[in-house]
Amino acid sequence: MNSPRPASVPEQLTKREVAEIAIRNAIETGLYKPGRIISQRQIAEDLGLGVTPIREAVLVMMGNGIVDRHKHHSIKVSEIDEKRLREIFGVRRILEEQAVRLAAEKATPELIARLRQLNRRLEVMEAADGADAINPIDRDFHTAIFNAREAPPFTPDPAG
């Protein structure tokens, strides 16, 4: 696959962070489906990244329950049941509502214009059933909100 750094990935990220975002994106877009077992070397080849940042990203993602360790340097994409998904979305709602409150206090005309633009793109993709394009746009939308809030170093991952 050898994908370049997605446009929504800032340049100052570490290789591990880039790897984590790329793996999450591969899961979100269906390249790596829940239950799939895949070697870390294959992930590195698919994403055009080195094995070391993949290994480091996998450790973080295991801690977050996104993937599970499998034998021979492989991982299994976690299958999330409805109860766990509801819990995740419940926590995200609380965090995102607070982030929006903080961002609203710092809202600039540029931020409002950017959020409106992203929202229009999301509406177009949703109407066109462009599911593959929705996740990166949604991530950009949430990132704009989280970046605007100018809060202390609490930065939840808007990807997931």
Side-chain angles (χ1 to χ4, degrees):
M1 183 165 127
N2 288 342
S3 24
R5 179 186 298 254
S8 63
V9 178
E11 290 296 325
Q12 68 271 19
L13 294 179
T14 65
K15 289 180 182 180
R16 189 230 11 114
E17 291 168 324
V18 171
E20 186 179 349
I21 290 168
I23 295 168
R24 284 178 184 270
N25 189 52
I27 293 169
E28 290 172 2
T29 60
L31 178 64
Y32 301 150
K33 298 191 182 315
R36 179 173 177 188
I37 298 169
I38 186 165
S39 73
Q40 292 180 27
R41 185 168 305 287
Q42 182 64 51
I43 294 170
E45 289 174 19
D46 288 349
L47 303 177
L49 298 167
V51 176
T52 300
I54 296 295
R55 186 177 329 116
E56 293 170 357
V58 163
L59 290 172
V60 171
M61 296 174 80
M62 285 171 44
N64 292 329
I66 297 167
V67 298
D68 298 312
R69 182 179 300 267
H70 203 265
K71 56 187 169 190
H72 305 298
H73 303 287
S74 294
I75 61 165
K76 178 179 179 183
V77 178
S78 296
E79 300 180 60
I80 299 176
D81 63 23
E82 185 177 345
K83 180 182 178 201
R84 171 93 196 260
L85 194 58
R86 286 184 191 280
E87 290 171 356
I88 290 168
F89 285 144
V91 170
R92 278 190 65 173
R93 178 194 288 146
I94 293 166
L95 295 174
E96 290 175 3
E97 286 175 355
Q98 181 62 20
V100 168
R101 278 188 209 92
L102 293 169
E105 294 172 5
K106 309 283 184 188
T108 63
E110 294 80 15
L111 173 64
I112 294 168
R114 175 76 176 139
L115 293 175
R116 283 184 176 149
Q117 174 203 29
L118 290 167
N119 195 48
R120 282 192 299 273
R121 288 177 58 201
L122 282 168
E123 288 171 350
V124 167
M125 289 297 117
E126 186 177 45
D129 198 25
D132 289 346
I134 288 176
N135 282 334
I137 299 168
D138 183 65
R139 189 176 1 266
D140 288 348
F141 185 90
H142 284 83
T143 299
I145 290 171
F146 283 117
N147 289 343
R149 63 192 167 79
E150 296 180 14
F154 164 73
T155 306
D157 182 357

